[in-house]
Each structure stands twice: as structure tokens, then as C-alpha cells.
Amino acid sequence: MAVTVDVTDAKELTLAVNNDKDSRRFLASFFKPLDHQTRDIMIDFVEGSQTLAPFVRDGDSATVSHRSGYKSRFVHAYGIELKRPTHAFDCLKRLPGEQTVYAGKAVSPSVRAAELAGRDLKDLKNRVYRTVEKIISDGFFGGKFDITDKDGKKIDSVDLGRSSSHVLTKEWGASYDGISTDLDDMATLINEDSGLTATDVILGKTAHAKIQKNTKFMKDLDTKNLDGVRAAMNFKMEGIGARLVGVIGGLRVWRYDEVFKNAAGDKVSIIPANGVLILSDEMQATLHRGIVGDNDIGWFEGEFAADTWYEKDPSTQWLRLRSAPLPICEQIDATCVATIA
């Protein structure tokens, strides 16, 4: 973020943090953002449509076609609020990568303060992104996700209404010759229940290791035309948490490696290591964003609101970032998951 931003102005700081286009995480790239003026959001969970259009006899009236079914309900967008202190002494320390005074390029404490604020904002944003990515994963693999507080206690839960037929268990041994068939069956199930065509297979690290040891599958996996596949993608997906490893039966195959640190400090895979997810990139999936702010700094429609304030003794500048993300796959039957034994 540019050091010319006035970090004491909540409106200017919020505009800067929302315009700073950091990469989204991989799973979130399948979601379209939608801003709201409220925290209670009406969600329409969409059912698939495979109804045929009938012909009519000459002279007959047109056939009445009803809209595809959907179920609506209000879901609350809970807020994330992170704050971080910068003490006066922090602005006297050399920043990582900063030239020393001996090189004649040391910066002033005020410039360091602005630089620290920019780095802190980026770090806080990335923490929010990682939380959103974990919620999306929980929704895809569990059919629902929990909203939890800083102590891990559940505040609320959102059930996406997944059909149990879209949750499978498979055994993919080294000599098993049915991996391609299993993926094709899952893709067919998506088409039958949602009316959409499956486009992507996303593998956890253990599931990916299983396919690498399977000679039959690796022979079927097309790894020669990946540059053409990348060129054909209508939005950038690589480099934001997943690696494109090949194409099978018209499906892009990805390995997903993103992790988060739990309360004990251990690294945990965001998607189950032995999990497989198949989805359609045309599914209705929305990253709803509730309004954020307060009566003091104002209310903001968008992804983030940011503000700062000062305490004199000890001299401390506080930076706060707020967001109210609610990632909902309204068309959950456009996904299918499997646990690999």
C-alpha cells in the first residue's frame, strides 16, 4: 500500500484496503462477490433444472413453464474484527529489507509507521482470506459450516442442504483401475442433479499421492497440454493455493496444498488431505459481504473497513480491520465430494 495514504482517515484507509487487489485464495475464486447494506442476508438455495421443453400442436397455446425451484432463508453475516498495536518504539526499528543508515538510505520513523500499517493491513487481510477459504472448504466437504469465536466455540451454523448421495467413500489403491470411472460417475451425478457440467477436480495432498502411485490413472491423465488449458481458463486460478496437474475426461485436475495453523500452532490442511472435490465453475456460489463499520467511522459496503486510533501512554497506534464475509454455495448439488481410503 502506498505511504501517501492517510492512515488516520477511516474512509481513505478503507478505500485503500479495498482497492489493494491481493490474490484471492483458490476455492474463493469460484465465488462471485456481492455487497449488502445489512448483516441479515436473504439467500436463495437453487435447485437444478433438467425439464425438457415440449413441442405444441399447430394452433395450440404455449406451454406454461414454471421457474426452477429454490428455497429462501435469512442467514446472518457475522463480523470478523482484528486489531493490532504499533508502539512508538516499533517505528525506531529497521524494517525487514530496509537499508541501514550506513548506506545513507534509512527512512524516518513516520515513514516506517506508514509502512508498518501497510504491511499489517496486508497480513490482516490474508488472515481473513484464509478464514473464508476454510469456511468454503467446510461447506463443500461437510455440506455445512460453523461460525466460531476466537476460543473455537460455535456461534452459529449454516447448512447448505447437500444431498447425501453427493458424499462418497472410495478406495484408490495402486492397482485399482477405476479412478477415472469414479471421477466420471461423480461428474455425471453433478449433471443429473444440478443440470451443470462438472469442470474441476480438486485433490487433497494424500488423495493426490494416491493417484500418482496409480499407473493406470497416470497413463490416462493428460499432462501435455497444460499451457493450452491455462490459456483457456476465463479467470486466473493458478498461484492462489492450487497447482494444475493435468486433465482427465475433460476435467481439470488440481492439487490443493493450502494450510492453516490451529490453536496449538500445528499446520492443518484447509481441505481434507484425503478429500476429492468435483464441481462446476458455472455453479451459483456467492461471497456475500455484509456491511461493516460503526457510527463513529461510518458504515461501508464492501469487503473491508479499516480505521486507526491512538493511545498516549504508552504511545500506541491501533490498526483495526473489519469484514463480514458469508460464502454460500447456493447450488451445492453442483458439487460432489469423496473421501479416499
Side-chain angles (χ1 to χ4, degrees):
M1 189 177 65
V3 297
T4 55
V5 173
D6 182 0
V7 296
T8 66
D9 188 312
K11 289 185 174 63
E12 187 171 344
L13 190 59
T14 296
L15 179 63
V17 74
N18 280 300
N19 287 340
D20 185 14
K21 299 298 183 183
D22 281 348
S23 297
R24 298 296 191 268
R25 309 317 301 170
F26 180 74
L27 296 180
S29 68
F30 292 97
F31 285 65
K32 297 179 177 62
L34 179 62
D35 297 330
H36 298 272
Q37 294 181 333
T38 180
R39 287 285 186 90
D40 292 309
I41 300 169
M42 175 70 80
I43 307 293
D44 296 329
F45 293 91
V46 181
E47 299 174 4
S49 175
Q50 298 84 27
T51 305
L52 298 177
F55 293 95
V56 297
R57 293 181 177 86
D58 293 343
D60 282 359
S61 62
T63 304
V64 176
S65 177
H66 296 284
R67 296 180 183 88
S68 299
Y70 64 91
K71 297 178 181 179
S72 300
R73 70 175 186 267
F74 279 102
V75 181
H76 187 72
Y78 289 88
I80 294 174
E81 296 196 15
L82 300 174
K83 62 182 181 180
R84 179 173 294 177
T86 299
H87 302 289
F89 187 72
D90 296 332
C91 302
L92 303 179
K93 299 178 183 178
R94 186 180 69 86
L95 297 174
E98 180 186 331
Q99 296 290 335
T100 65
V101 67
Y102 303 108
K105 296 182 179 180
V107 299
S108 67
S110 61
V111 172
R112 284 200 196 101
E115 177 66 20
L116 277 172
R119 295 185 185 196
D120 285 341
L121 272 177
K122 184 173 183 178
D123 179 51
L124 296 179
K125 284 175 61 177
N126 284 334
R127 294 179 184 225
V128 175
Y129 288 152
R130 202 165 295 273
T131 295
V132 171
E133 193 81 349
K134 180 62 169 62
I135 290 175
I136 292 173
S137 172
D138 290 346
F140 280 153
F141 284 92
K144 63 180 181 179
F145 58 85
D146 292 335
I147 304 296
T148 57
D149 63 16
K150 63 183 177 62
D151 298 319
K153 297 180 179 179
K154 185 170 75 172
I155 299 172
D156 203 347
S157 182
V158 179
D159 193 329
L160 301 177
R162 159 177 282 142
S163 170
S164 60
S165 63
H166 285 242
V167 182
L168 309 172
T169 300
K170 298 290 182 180
E171 291 189 22
W172 287 357
S175 60
Y176 180 61
D177 62 0
I179 297 180
S180 299
T181 302
D182 289 343
L183 296 179
D184 189 63
D185 288 344
M186 293 169 69
T188 300
L189 186 61
I190 287 173
N191 182 263
E192 290 175 347
D193 290 350
S194 71
L196 300 178
T197 301
T199 56
D200 294 273
V201 179
I202 303 166
L203 304 168
K205 61 181 181 181
T206 302
H208 180 256
K210 291 271 189 180
I211 68 168
Q212 283 190 309
K213 295 176 182 178
N214 190 286
T215 304
K216 172 68 167 58
F217 182 82
M218 293 306 294
K219 286 182 178 179
D220 294 337
L221 185 67
D222 180 5
T223 59
K224 298 178 181 178
N225 189 36
L226 296 189
D227 287 340
V229 174
R230 294 183 181 99
M233 288 189 296
N234 58 1
F235 56 89
K236 186 184 177 195
M237 295 161 65
E238 273 201 303
I240 51 176
R243 289 179 282 155
L244 182 65
V245 297
V247 177
I248 188 80
L251 298 166
R252 298 180 294 237
V253 181
W254 304 86
R255 170 174 170 161
Y256 185 96
D257 291 321
E258 282 296 296
V259 299
F260 70 97
K261 289 185 178 179
N262 62 17
D266 300 322
K267 292 181 179 179
V268 182
S269 298
I270 285 183
I271 72 171
N274 61 344
V276 176
L277 166 67
I278 298 185
L279 53 76
S280 170
D281 64 7
E282 295 182 345
M283 67 185 175
Q284 184 170 331
T286 309
L287 177 52
H288 299 277
R289 304 191 299 209
I291 196 167
V292 284
D294 56 39
N295 290 330
D296 183 29
I297 69 169
W299 296 94
F300 299 91
E301 292 179 50
E303 194 167 17
F304 298 104
D307 66 315
T308 61
W309 68 94
Y310 292 92
E311 294 177 358
K312 289 187 176 181
D313 190 12
S315 181
T316 305
Q317 178 187 18
W318 284 94
L319 171 67
R320 177 170 54 186
L321 185 71
R322 290 186 275 194
S323 186
L326 180 63
I328 298 288
C329 180
E330 293 93 343
Q331 207 167 6
I332 193 63
D333 281 345
T335 71
C336 188
V337 296
T339 299
I340 307 304

